[in-house]
Amino acid sequence: MDDSRSGCPVAMTLDIVGDRWTLVILRDLFMGKQRFSQFLDSPERIATNVLTDRLVMMEREGLVTKALYQERPKRYEFRLTERGEALLPVLQAMARWGNRFFPDSWRVPQEFLDRKAP
């Protein structure tokens, strides 16, 4: 079922990644984080229930896959799919824009800016 507000590609994209947290989680995935606890260590301090909700949504939307890495208790690693990886240029552009217009922001690692999307 299609829950899009409209057929506009910007609106449709924002329906998936336009909340406060999804792009931050994607940033962390691009920077090598894979486990729930690693996402919780990010400086933005996402709440566990919000992180769980976003990861479920990201898996449902085909941005990430999850794989069991521990049986007891069950723990999962998350990896970007091709669809998720395709958002890399969007995050790179946002990072460049942020560094340009927020001079006190963190400098984005060059390896992130140089990375190529598949």
Side-chain angles (χ1 to χ4, degrees):
M1 181 171 146
D2 186 4
D3 293 333
S4 298
R5 292 176 280 164
S6 73
C8 170
V10 173
M12 293 175 84
T13 302
L14 287 174
D15 286 343
I16 297 172
V17 299
D19 66 89
R20 181 176 182 164
W21 294 107
T22 303
L23 292 174
V24 172
I25 297 166
L26 285 168
R27 174 207 64 196
D28 286 350
L29 284 158
F30 282 115
M31 296 304 293
K33 293 183 180 185
Q34 295 180 327
R35 296 181 178 182
F36 196 88
S37 61
Q38 293 173 317
F39 298 120
L40 292 176
D41 286 341
S42 293
E44 293 82 12
R45 301 178 51 124
I46 188 170
T48 57
N49 62 317
V50 175
L51 177 58
T52 298
D53 180 62
R54 292 312 182 279
L55 289 169
V56 167
M57 179 277 298
M58 292 169 73
E59 183 181 23
R60 182 182 68 241
E61 294 295 337
L63 302 179
V64 299
T65 59
K66 72 178 184 180
L68 189 68
Y69 74 87
Q70 180 179 307
E71 189 63 44
R72 285 197 159 147
K74 288 188 184 230
R75 297 194 191 278
Y76 298 90
E77 290 182 335
F78 297 87
R79 292 193 173 85
L80 290 164
T81 62
E82 181 180 352
R83 187 174 186 177
E85 288 265 359
L87 286 163
L88 177 62
V90 175
L91 269 74
Q92 290 168 324
M94 291 177 72
R96 286 184 182 102
W97 186 90
N99 277 167
R100 178 177 174 195
F101 292 104
F102 298 104
D104 293 335
S105 63
W106 302 332
R107 293 291 109 193
V108 178
Q110 196 60 47
E111 73 241 19
F112 176 79
L113 295 175
D114 291 342
R115 187 172 172 173
K116 302 290 184 215

